[in-house]
Amino acid sequence: MFGSLVSNTPEEDAVQLRAELHPTSGVLVRIAFIGVGAVAAFHHIPGIRLDPRVALVAICDENEQLLQQRATEWAPVKATKNYMDIVNDKEIDAVVIATPNFTHSPITLACIKAGKHVLLEKPIGLNESEALILAEEAEKVGIVHMTAFTYRFSPALKYLKQLISEGKLGTIRHFRSQRFLDWPETSWGWRQYKKTAGAGNLYDMMIHRIDFSQYLCGNIASVCGKVKQFVPRYKTPTGDTCPLSEVDDWSALVVEFESGATGVFEGSTLMKGHHNGGFGHEWAEVNGSVASAVYELRDPYHIKWGTHGGSLESLPVPAELLVVPGSTRDPTVGKPSEVFRYDQMYEFISAIVEKRPACPSFVEGASAQVVADAALRSSEERREIDIKQPSLITKKGSRL
């Protein structure tokens, strides 16, 4: 996929892209995209290109110009502006949904009802009620369902999880997360209105950190949250006037995990000087009774590690954790902070082929959204909120 991008002509690149999106043999999963914007192109298309078990067969977007552009770039594909055409197409096995937050629930419920496997962008709902319904319905029907928590696939984060599981850090006492981005202070479009986004930085960025904190440290039991808006965002990138933003652009959480460990989170898109080539600043630290370990997005092939009396030092991630098992992706090719995200698609396709649950699923998506919504209530009510983790009925009638 990547090796010829430097020397190929644009025409040769286009031919290679189409060949990788449409394998001529060995296809086990026929997939469609609903929503073909930057997220689909940046996160999901590269994952399909790396996996010969999957073929892109259809795309959908309400933006006619963008739809036609992608139909040309990713040809041959069926192209439609109506997502029900995807839902009703019996030649489609699975769907990637990368649309505005307020559309997630109706589109996903229709796909679930049609028996299609779904990879859904976060947050999976406009609020925790929608998220819980999606998780429960997906479990009842028995489809493969996955939440696009891409950071779960960072090699450094997986190594932290392994070290914690092996007891190398001792008893976990504290989790710390910083996610700082230096973005323009112009309009976010639909992302800055409650009726279409639900929340701002909390739903867009912080929810990832909520998820992987629970992946590392277990479920969150209580939260004190604070959200704030500093920038009204009344101008578009082209200078036109638009309605004022309604959502947060800074959020912070203090939590207690069910284990008794504590956590502190802070995130914002307004942190000047933290651009770092577009990747921003990401620091996630776990402190135990024996050692501390750190994940940084800018260096996902190493962790920082330190014990009592010493200083944090860089340690390489074991080679077997650099790529999801079975994938042909070469971890030495591409930007490390970018290419691990492509393993998400491999996990989704593998779960479908192997007839097993995908991870992280809608259950993890709903769990993170329960915490995020509790943080919003905490900020509004200026008090600590106890978390009631979701209890969902499965296809067999049992509860998760």
Side-chain angles (χ1 to χ4, degrees), residues 70 277 332 386:
R70 299 302 194 205
T332 68
D386 290 332

Side-chain angles (χ1 to χ4, degrees), residues 3 87 89 92-93 222 272 371 384:
V87 170
D89 191 330
I92 295 170
D93 306 306
S222 66
K272 308 309 179 193
V371 176
E384 183 177 12

Side-chain angles (χ1 to χ4, degrees), residues 32-325:
F33 280 16
I34 301 177
V36 294
V39 170
F42 181 74
H43 291 298
H44 304 306
I45 284 293
I48 291 179
R49 295 181 67 180
L50 286 163
D51 194 337
R53 301 172 300 174
V54 57
L56 179 66
V57 297
I59 59 173
C60 173
D61 202 286
E62 290 187 341
N63 184 323
E64 177 70 30
Q65 182 177 358
L66 178 61
L67 181 68
Q68 293 308 315
Q69 175 189 331
R70 299 302 194 205
T72 300
E73 292 173 355
W74 302 341
V77 291
K78 303 173 187 177
T80 178
K81 293 175 65 177
N82 186 349
Y83 73 83
M84 288 305 298
D85 291 338
I86 303 292
V87 170
N88 294 325
D89 191 330
K90 298 187 183 303
E91 294 184 354
I92 295 170
D93 306 306
V95 179
V96 176
I97 300 173
T99 57
N101 300 351
F102 75 100
T103 68
H104 287 181
S105 180
I107 295 174
T108 305
L109 285 173
C111 289
I112 292 171
K113 185 177 180 181
K116 300 193 187 303
H117 310 296
V118 180
L119 170 56
L120 176 60
E121 276 297 326
K122 54 73 203 162
I124 63 172
L126 197 59
N127 50 55
E128 67 176 81
S129 293
E130 287 189 358
L132 290 167
I133 289 171
L134 291 181
E136 186 154 284
E137 290 303 309
E139 280 291 315
K140 285 181 182 177
V141 172
I143 63 160
V144 172
H145 49 94
M146 189 174 188
T147 302
F149 284 140
T150 54
Y151 296 91
R152 287 278 196 114
F153 298 91
S154 165
L157 207 62
K158 291 189 291 183
Y159 192 28
L160 256 64
K161 174 65 173 177
Q162 177 178 302
L163 292 170
I164 292 169
S165 299
E166 293 173 349
K168 298 295 177 62
L169 275 71
T171 301
I172 302 305
R173 294 172 172 171
H174 186 67
F175 172 86
R176 180 177 299 102
S177 171
Q178 294 176 325
R179 181 57 169 143
F180 300 156
L181 292 157
D182 184 0
W183 284 0
E185 297 188 0
T186 49
S187 171
W188 285 346
W190 63 264
R191 288 182 174 85
Q192 68 179 33
Y193 305 111
K194 289 183 178 179
K195 68 179 182 180
T196 49
N201 180 77
L202 182 70
Y203 272 12
D204 196 36
M205 291 293 166
M206 183 65 77
I207 201 164
H208 279 293
R209 280 79 226 169
I210 293 170
D211 171 66
F212 69 64
S213 76
Q214 295 194 127
Y215 168 63
L216 294 173
C217 302
N219 286 339
I220 292 172
S222 66
V223 60
C224 287
K226 182 66 177 178
V227 298
K228 189 173 179 66
Q229 181 198 108
F230 287 97
V231 179
R233 300 184 188 277
Y234 60 91
K235 292 284 189 180
T236 69
T238 58
D240 296 326
T241 301
C242 64
L244 298 177
S245 174
E246 302 169 343
V247 299
D248 60 284
D249 48 31
W250 173 90
S251 54
L253 283 64
V254 176
V255 310
E256 183 172 3
F257 295 90
E258 290 180 354
S259 66
T262 56
V264 175
F265 305 66
E266 183 185 13
S268 178
T269 60
L270 303 175
M271 300 306 199
K272 308 309 179 193
H274 283 290
H275 189 263
N276 297 319
F279 291 107
H281 167 72
E282 169 95 282
W283 179 283
E285 180 173 349
V286 182
N287 307 118
S289 59
V290 173
S292 295
V294 176
Y295 146 73
E296 290 184 280
L297 174 59
R298 282 182 289 167
D299 189 10
Y301 292 173
H302 294 82
I303 66 164
K304 285 183 167 60
W305 173 269
T307 56
H308 179 64
S311 300
L312 292 173
E313 298 178 351
S314 179
L315 292 180
V317 174
E320 64 269 20
L321 296 179
L322 296 180
V323 180
V324 67

